[in-house]
Amino acid sequence: MTARPRVAVLDYGIGNLRSAQKALERVGADAVLTQDATVVSAADAVVLPGVGAFGACMDALRDVQLETVTHDAVASGVPFLGICVGMQMLFDGSEEDPDARGLGIIPGQVKWIPSSVQRPQMQWNQLNIRRDEPMFSDLGEHPWMYFVHSLHGVPTDSDCVTATVQYGDTLNVAFRKGNVFATQFHPEKSATAGLGLLHNFVASVKS
Amino acid sequence: MNSDIVARVIPCLDVTNGRVVKGVNFVDLRDAGDPVELAARYDTQGADELVFLDITASSDGRDTMVDVVSRTAEQVFIPFTVGGGIREVADARKMLRAGADKVSVNTAAVQRPEVISDIAAEFGAQCVVCAIDAKWDASQNRWTVYLHGGRTATELDAVQWAERAVSLGAGEILLTSMDRDGTRDGFDIALTKAVSSAVNVPVIASGGVGNLQHLAEGVTEGGATGVLAASIFHFGDHTIAEAKDVMSAHGIRVRPVG
């Protein structure tokens, strides 16, 4: 591939998006923070980040008219990556805000992690990769990633879980459904391993 | 300690007017005073997170800190916190938009506790760190919260303040013992234990680290899940890898370096 893949990072006014943008640039993408539907539809890949509360993020996404744009991007077949609450928003709903409706792209619910452990899990933890997955290529068997979360995704179809971690229980932390990838951890904050995953994501853009 | 906990080693950089305070003794740095280059070095060394403490007095200097954060976000791909001068939501927004993952509030939160809930409401509790400077007060049989680097006493009990801060939405407590800060005698374990037992969010122990054993004690005895240190790393006494080796030898889970 000659040109740098264009990655649209959906910007709906939440906290730190710049790290995701800079990490994608570091691994060879031309990354732009945007809420412009035309920029998103022209992109080679799309990233949905998210921090904070599920309901607040869904509201913010809808406020800037990015909900339909997100569905269109997923339907277009381009590589799509949800990160942290951006991952959680892909589900139908969340125990954190039972009244808030999710995007419903990955059927299932987002549920609290056990209260027997400190919440949030705010630490590095080691993935158990459940199946061969291009996103994890060259990362080793148990890469370390950085987590900040109190809930995790429980999909209806457990086959879409690609990695778990142990924290109070076995938590689902990475998912794949067609062209949609999603991680509970922050690859943009996970040093070399995280950059490796983002590199794999950018490399999945068809030349 | 729960075996699923992985402790974090967190170097702290004091910054004034965009420069690191106190020389940092890494021999091959191009510019030992550049916080961005140092941050990148600690990332490479295997630090789990970083804290920048902006001790700049002037507001002009604070704009310089935004630039430091912005440049750091281009080069450093581990989480970092910015503290010092965060007085309201707008200050937090500026730092988070520039690329910081968390902001820490100290004086402003004591003076106006709602700043914690304000920031948490907009950006989530996970990005609000409440920094508490505490000193033992024998006459009252408690640790008292201090402001302005230990110069100004407040009426607050440190353990109670930590609980209140968490109830307001602080996602983490950065706890510094003013009795131990700069002594190299080790963390105030009793203080750390009192706070970590009182709150259900991560506590970062700070103040007094003189050797690597001290870091391990902060976790095994103090109940902290993060340990913060400045001089033992900056002056080249120890590397992050050495710190993690010692912690690991004490049965603490850490992310291996490299």
Side-chain angles (χ1 to χ4, degrees):
Chain A
M1 181 181 336
T2 48
R4 292 164 70 90
R6 290 162 301 169
V7 180
V9 179
L10 302 183
D11 181 358
Y12 52 104
I14 57 158
N16 174 14
L17 298 178
R18 199 157 175 277
S19 296
Q21 180 193 20
K22 292 297 162 190
L24 287 159
E25 286 175 355
R26 171 63 69 97
V27 299
D30 176 6
V32 55
L33 302 179
T34 185
Q35 47 184 250
D36 182 336
T38 56
V39 172
V40 178
S41 64
D44 299 313
V46 175
V47 174
L48 175 62
V51 294
F54 182 88
C57 281
M58 283 307 311
D59 287 346
L61 191 76
R62 291 191 175 111
D63 284 348
V64 296
Q65 274 84 49
L66 278 177
E67 186 180 16
T68 311
V69 172
T70 302
H71 281 289
D72 291 349
V74 168
S76 76
V78 298
F80 186 99
L81 174 64
I83 298 173
C84 196
V85 180
M87 169 230 101
Q88 297 179 359
M89 289 156 76
L90 296 171
F91 283 72
D92 294 322
S94 170
E95 288 181 354
E96 186 177 27
D97 291 295
D99 297 334
R101 187 172 45 83
L103 292 164
I105 290 165
I106 298 176
Q109 290 292 321
V110 178
K111 299 188 174 179
W112 292 106
I113 65 180
S115 56
S116 56
V117 282
Q118 203 168 55
R119 291 198 308 220
Q121 171 174 218
M122 187 184 282
Q123 63 175 22
W124 295 76
N125 206 338
Q126 214 169 2
L127 302 188
N128 293 307
I129 293 173
R130 279 191 36 169
R131 67 166 202 231
D132 258 354
E133 166 68 63
M135 290 283 276
F136 296 131
S137 74
D138 300 325
L139 299 188
E141 267 183 70
H142 298 288
W144 288 85
M145 299 288 180
Y146 185 78
F147 291 83
V148 184
H149 68 126
S150 297
L151 300 99
H152 76 129
V154 181
T156 313
D157 175 9
S158 63
D159 280 353
C160 68
V161 176
T162 57
T164 62
V165 291
Q166 198 61 34
Y167 188 73
D169 197 353
T170 300
L171 308 181
N172 305 318
V173 297
F175 309 87
R176 168 151 187 203
K177 184 171 179 280
N179 57 315
V180 176
F181 309 90
T183 65
Q184 180 61 71
F185 51 87
H186 287 271
E188 78 282 15
K189 285 290 162 183
S190 298
T192 315
L195 291 175
L197 186 148
L198 292 175
H199 174 269
N200 292 338
F201 174 70
V202 170
S204 73
V205 171
K206 291 190 178 60
S207 50
Chain B
M1 189 180 58
N2 185 299
S3 63
D4 293 340
I5 296 286
V6 179
R8 294 167 289 155
V9 177
I10 308 172
C12 176
L13 300 169
D14 286 353
V15 178
T16 184
N17 295 309
R19 304 286 293 172
V20 174
V21 185
K22 300 174 194 168
V24 176
N25 190 21
F26 287 146
V27 284
D28 52 344
L29 286 180
R30 279 180 293 114
D31 177 0
D34 179 14
V36 181
E37 188 172 359
L38 270 171
R41 174 60 58 95
Y42 280 126
D43 177 358
T44 309
Q45 274 203 2
D48 297 307
E49 293 189 25
L50 296 167
V51 170
F52 289 113
L53 189 57
D54 183 12
I55 56 173
T56 306
S58 71
S59 52
D60 288 0
R62 295 242 169 76
D63 290 338
T64 313
M65 195 63 204
V66 177
D67 176 60
V68 167
V69 169
S70 169
R71 288 190 294 125
T72 302
E74 290 170 10
Q75 298 183 33
V76 174
F77 299 101
I78 58 173
F80 63 96
T81 301
V82 179
I86 307 291
R87 308 203 60 82
E88 51 188 278
V89 171
D91 300 322
R93 185 183 299 122
K94 210 184 285 182
M95 291 304 179
L96 296 171
R97 291 296 292 187
D101 298 283
K102 313 179 207 178
V103 291
S104 87
V105 287
N106 187 337
T107 303
V110 168
Q111 293 169 345
R112 199 175 65 82
E114 306 77 54
V115 72
I116 293 174
S117 36
D118 290 352
I119 299 172
E122 185 157 341
F123 302 107
Q126 83 293 331
C127 74
V128 191
V129 181
C130 183
I132 299 176
D133 296 341
K135 197 186 273 189
W136 177 247
D137 182 344
S139 69
Q140 300 201 61
N141 199 34
R142 70 172 196 194
W143 290 275
T144 296
V145 175
Y146 275 71
L147 303 178
H148 308 120
R151 294 193 303 277
T152 312
T154 71
E155 291 303 309
L156 296 172
D157 172 302
V159 176
Q160 288 172 5
W161 171 231
E163 290 172 323
R164 170 125 195 261
V166 170
S167 72
L168 287 166
E172 193 168 37
I173 301 290
L174 169 51
L175 180 66
T176 303
S177 162
M178 301 313 297
D179 296 308
R180 295 300 179 92
D181 203 30
T183 66
R184 299 175 79 97
D185 288 339
F187 294 125
D188 182 336
I189 293 296
L191 167 67
T192 309
K193 181 85 197 156
V195 172
S196 69
S197 310
V199 299
N200 60 358
V201 300
V203 172
I204 301 171
S206 161
V209 174
N211 61 50
L212 301 176
Q213 178 86 18
H214 291 152
L215 294 177
E217 288 165 1
V219 178
T220 56
E221 296 174 34
T225 54
V227 286
L228 183 127
S231 51
I232 63 161
F233 296 132
H234 298 340
F235 301 142
D237 300 357
H238 296 290
T239 62
I240 304 289
E242 288 166 2
K244 290 187 171 184
D245 284 347
V246 169
M247 291 169 73
S248 197
H250 283 76
I252 300 167
R253 267 188 88 201
V254 290
R255 175 178 69 116
V257 169

